[in-house]
Amino acid sequence: MADETYSGEFYCVKCKEKREAEGNVVVNDKGTRMAKAKCPVCGTNLNRILGKA
């Protein structure tokens, strides 16, 4: 499986704002696809659930 990336809006819980970021897509144990990125402003980890793989 090729490394998939997601670029779009993530919600930063630290900034309490939506941020544009690009991150890698990972699949967790339950088979849910999640995009993980870092906030470009504060550096906090961002997660976005994309749905089932």
Side-chain angles (χ1 to χ4, degrees), residues 25-42:
V25 174
V26 293
V27 179
N28 71 5
D29 299 339
K30 294 179 181 171
T32 307
R33 291 169 67 238
M34 293 177 68
K36 294 184 182 258
K38 281 222 185 287
C39 179
V41 177
C42 69

Side-chain angles (χ1 to χ4, degrees), residues 10-11 15 17 19 21-23 25 29-30 34-36 39-40 42 44-50 53:
F10 291 83
Y11 180 76
C15 299
E17 279 185 44
R19 301 272 184 230
E22 190 172 321
V25 174
D29 299 339
K30 294 179 181 171
M34 293 177 68
K36 294 184 182 258
C39 179
C42 69
T44 302
N45 289 325
L46 304 175
N47 288 308
R48 181 176 175 126
I49 296 169
L50 304 172

